[in-house]
Amino acid sequence: MERVVIVGASLAGLNAAEALRDEGFQGQITLIGNEPEIPYDRPPLSKQLLTGEWDVDRLPLRSAEDLDALKLEFLRGRTAVRLDPQASTVELDDHSLVEYDGMIIATGARALTLPFSHELSGVHTLRTQQDALRIREDLDSATRVAVIGAGFIGAEVASSARARGLDVTMVEALSAPMLGPLGADLAAWATGLHEQAGVQMRFNARVSRLIGESRVEAVELQDGTRLEADTVVVGIGVRPNVQWLEDSGLTIGDGVICDQFCRAAPMIYAAGDIARWPNELFMHFRYGEPQRTMRIEHWTNAIEQGMAAARNLMLESRGERMEAFTPVPYFWSDQHGLSIMASGITAPRDEFRLVHGSLESNRFAAIYGLRGYLTGVVAVGWPRMLRRYQGLIRKQVSWDEALETAREIEG
Ligand SMILES: Cc1cc2nc3c(=O)[nH]c(=O)nc-3n(C[C@H](O)[C@H](O)[C@H](O)COP(=O)(O)OP(=O)(O)OC[C@H]3O[C@@H](n4cnc5c(N)ncnc54)[C@H](O)[C@@H]3O)c2cc1C
């Protein structure tokens, strides 16, 4: 293998490039990324960048020297438009072709938009540094902010806007924020957290249109309610960036479908928000039937999977046995001064139990179970507990064993 091409110059792609070098790869690495910036970190975009605590100089994932040391051919601001696995080429936006021996796909995901009104100024989604800067600029002069969608990104934007003293309303189609991943009990706790922080909330509410001439003035709900807003942030989820792979012959379906080694085809791997793969750690209880695959949209996974994909590409190139990628997924979300940490699978779930601490104290750990096994944990203010149950999830313990451990800890 002489040349590896990585498409997507962000968290997964950069970590893949570093892992290739760490594994001793001395050939050419071409990193293709369609954003103008050097690779930067996304989590601060909804947090420190919006509150104004940080500026963009804190966002780069690596220094210019560290990037130089990787000896990459970095095609910055370039878009891959087509992959041809037969010819082993990637076509770029200027129709030039880049050849590869090994390929890592790390094109991540993009924010979903409402089917209407995104042309109005003051209406935003949040995925890139440029999105965040535009939102921040609007927040500088905003008085009323509407956040559409109370998932993790929406809830973080609401929190950051409140920290700036703005009037914030969060509109959510379901009955509580983050209901899917947290479940009813913790979503009710999260409702209280946002209420105490002064966020106004409209649940079971759908947006029918955004009102305004050239700039947004209000959000209209399907029940006719009009919410005044001079800035609107839409956080209704993401879609994997698979459009450039449509005629590649790879299996696509809510992500690039890979095997347990993150391999989509011979010498082609995928990593990060775009990759869908069977995580063998969760197969003992038939997770995700019938496809039994997962796609993770979190920071730690993008790093770990980028590295795993690179290692397996190296192993395949040497004809050696590859290693299944079997992480216990982890993520955190910072809202109103608290860090919500989660690990494993929290949805779907059959079981939920608050095992330590109390919701009132904002310090607790809760566990989730499916088909008789411990599958997930959420902790607030208690990283040690999170790690403890994360370890048990890795050991594939039963739900009863997890409860037994909880009783022992409570002593
Ligand atoms: C605002 C925000 C806050 C977040 N907060 C948290 C958090 O608190 N905790 C947490 O765990 N996770 C968080 N995340 C999620 C985390 O940042 C992502 O999981 C991570 O960025 C995924 O990395 P990735 O490299 O797979 O994809 P991405 O970061 O999406 O990068 C993909 C790159 O590929 C580029 N690209 C796409 N198509 C092409 C193409 N055809 N040609 C060339 N380049 C292309 C994209 O422009 C992008 O630069 C947050 C995400 C956002 C947006």
Side-chain angles (χ1 to χ4, degrees):
M1 183 167 73
E2 285 171 10
R3 184 174 193 178
V4 176
V5 170
I6 302 172
V7 184
S10 188
L11 198 58
L14 178 63
N15 279 278
E18 288 177 335
L20 286 170
R21 291 296 184 225
D22 289 347
E23 296 284 319
F25 179 65
Q26 294 186 342
Q28 179 163 5
I29 301 176
T30 302
L31 182 64
I32 303 170
N34 63 6
E35 293 190 80
E37 299 85 6
I38 62 169
Y40 61 87
D41 213 11
R42 290 183 209 279
L45 299 181
S46 48
K47 310 174 183 73
Q48 296 91 337
L49 202 83
L50 283 196
T51 56
E53 264 170 273
W54 286 17
D55 219 332
V56 288
D57 57 345
R58 308 256 318 243
L59 296 185
L61 287 165
R62 303 289 182 272
S63 66
E65 296 76 51
D66 288 344
L67 287 177
D68 284 349
L70 288 172
K71 300 200 180 332
L72 305 172
E73 180 193 25
F74 187 4
L75 304 183
R76 187 155 30 134
R78 303 298 301 279
T79 303
V81 295
R82 192 162 174 264
L83 174 68
D84 184 345
Q86 257 70 49
S88 296
T89 55
V90 183
E91 185 180 328
L92 300 185
D93 40 4
D94 64 355
H95 303 298
S96 61
L97 295 178
V98 182
E99 290 179 16
Y100 65 83
D101 303 313
M103 153 71 56
I104 296 175
I105 298 169
T107 46
R110 64 183 180 285
L112 286 172
T113 52
L114 292 172
F116 44 75
S117 306
H118 276 272
E119 72 289 350
L120 289 177
S121 66
V123 179
H124 306 272
T125 54
L126 175 51
R127 182 75 193 177
T128 67
Q129 177 172 312
Q130 298 189 12
D131 294 336
L133 288 176
R134 278 191 291 263
I135 297 172
R136 186 166 81 175
E137 202 186 316
D138 271 4
L139 293 184
D140 286 344
S141 57
T143 46
R144 289 198 197 90
V145 180
V147 177
I148 299 178
F152 287 103
I153 300 285
E156 289 188 357
V157 171
S159 162
S160 297
R162 272 306 293 152
R164 298 179 58 143
L166 300 171
D167 182 339
V168 182
T169 304
M170 201 152 55
V171 178
E172 166 60 47
L174 301 177
S175 57
M178 301 163 281
L179 182 61
L182 293 183
D185 298 66
L186 294 196
W189 164 80
T191 302
L193 181 71
H194 283 274
E195 260 167 15
Q196 279 160 26
V199 176
Q200 296 161 57
M201 280 167 290
R202 297 289 180 137
F203 295 127
N204 306 305
R206 289 184 177 274
V207 176
S208 57
R209 63 182 180 128
L210 302 182
I211 300 166
E213 289 291 317
S214 63
R215 187 175 182 91
V216 68
E217 290 165 17
V219 175
E220 189 180 89
L221 305 183
Q222 276 179 3
D223 67 2
T225 309
R226 181 185 156 111
L227 305 169
E228 302 301 321
D230 45 38
T231 302
V232 172
V233 181
V234 178
I236 54 174
V238 299
R239 274 283 142 73
N241 286 319
V242 292
Q243 62 283 5
W244 66 286
L245 297 166
E246 257 157 28
D247 59 356
S248 64
L250 300 183
T251 311
I252 306 294
D254 185 39
V256 174
I257 311 294
C258 303
D259 64 14
Q260 68 271 41
F261 310 113
C262 312
R263 186 171 75 150
M267 300 299 280
I268 301 179
Y269 290 76
D273 283 19
I274 198 168
R276 182 167 272 289
W277 90 109
N279 183 340
E280 288 183 341
L281 190 65
F282 295 97
M283 292 302 131
H284 54 295
F285 59 88
R286 307 188 319 281
Y287 166 74
E289 299 258 57
Q291 287 89 4
R292 304 173 108 195
T293 55
M294 58 170 69
R295 188 172 68 73
I296 304 288
E297 295 168 0
H298 300 307
W299 192 87
T300 309
N301 186 68
I303 295 175
E304 294 176 352
Q305 199 165 22
M307 294 166 66
R311 269 197 305 274
N312 279 338
L313 175 61
M314 289 290 284
L315 291 170
E316 185 183 359
S317 74
R318 298 196 293 251
E320 292 171 25
R321 229 176 116 94
M322 293 171 293
E323 290 163 14
F325 178 57
T326 57
V328 183
Y330 163 79
F331 79 90
W332 80 97
S333 174
D334 297 336
Q335 298 170 32
H336 306 298
L338 294 179
S339 194
I340 303 170
M341 294 167 288
S343 191
I345 296 168
T346 55
R349 60 194 152 251
D350 300 325
E351 307 278 1
F352 168 84
R353 190 78 62 91
L354 184 79
V355 280
H356 307 292
S358 68
L359 300 182
E360 299 73 45
S361 66
N362 289 338
R363 185 169 187 261
F364 58 83
I367 56 174
Y368 299 72
L370 185 62
R371 299 193 179 120
Y373 286 91
L374 172 71
T375 57
V377 54
V378 170
V380 172
W382 223 335
R384 196 166 48 82
M385 273 315 168
L386 187 100
R387 284 195 294 277
R388 180 91 189 243
Y389 287 96
Q390 197 174 32
L392 294 182
I393 296 167
R394 172 152 295 289
K395 284 191 194 151
Q396 302 179 328
V397 305
S398 69
W399 178 248
D400 290 340
E401 283 172 86
L403 289 181
E404 187 53 42
T405 302
R407 277 192 290 273
E408 280 166 18
I409 293 172
E410 288 293 298

